[in-house]
Amino acid sequence: MNLQKEIDHLFSTQLIEWELLRENNKQFENDVKYKSLRWNDQLEVVLQYNSDRITSATASVNETDIENRPCFLCAENRPAVQRGIPFLDKYIILCNPYPILKNHLTIPLLSHVPQLIGKKMEDMLTLTESLEDYIVFYNGPKSGASAPDHFHFQAGLKMDVLLNGENDLRSCLTIESTEKSEAVELFYDVYNYLKSYQPNEEEPMMNITSFMDRDKYVIHVYPRKLHRPWQFSTKGKAQLLISPGALDMAGLIITPRKEDFDKINKEDIEDIYAQVSMAII
Ligand SMILES: [Zn+2]
């Protein structure tokens, strides 16, 4: 059986046996709202109102808080009912019970090691080539990962708005190749280039998405200079609870509060991207 079919099967059985996944998927299908903001024919951002994402959006990434909480990606802390599909003998493919995308997956390494892309781009592309209907994504430890202490990828079914790449709102570096090894090599060129901008970071701040465009591997790297915009931590009317990760950078902005979904405008979005995206010359 191919991996996509195995995943479909995993979802259909987990939806029966796992109540949280079933309830949250029902909510995702019925209650999540979308709104499109357009700058021109090519440039669009889609807002997603998704109240289930409040925990993830407001997760503390403070080191002490992280050390003191049980890691939700380690096998011993995961719900007994959550089953997965082994991948490359070192990952497990799990249904994410707080979906942003259809068939939202979390793919943690089996071992508890920090979120650093390091030498794992090849794994990311091996996953990508097995999932042609999916977009695979990675959030850096200071760029939206809610478990910066446990390495993981995520994936979900593609949406057009996520595949566009470069636009006027934020930086995006695109790597394309029909050869996996070449795509990996080009990625590390980009990685090292970004490292020269942020020599003191353990890894350059970034989000990464990857997907197949027919037989071509496509990698989008979104360089970052800030984890959360000022609107996140301010109080009162100016507050916007937006904590950008890979999907937000690609063009699908998640608003866990209805009031933010209703009031956010194009100027806010331009301002948020300008704060968190790092301009590359
Ligand atoms: Zn862990």
Side-chain angles (χ1 to χ4, degrees), residues 71-74 77 111-113 149-150:
C71 172
F72 60 89
L73 294 179
C74 275
N77 303 321
S111 50
H112 184 87
V113 300
D149 55 341
H150 191 133

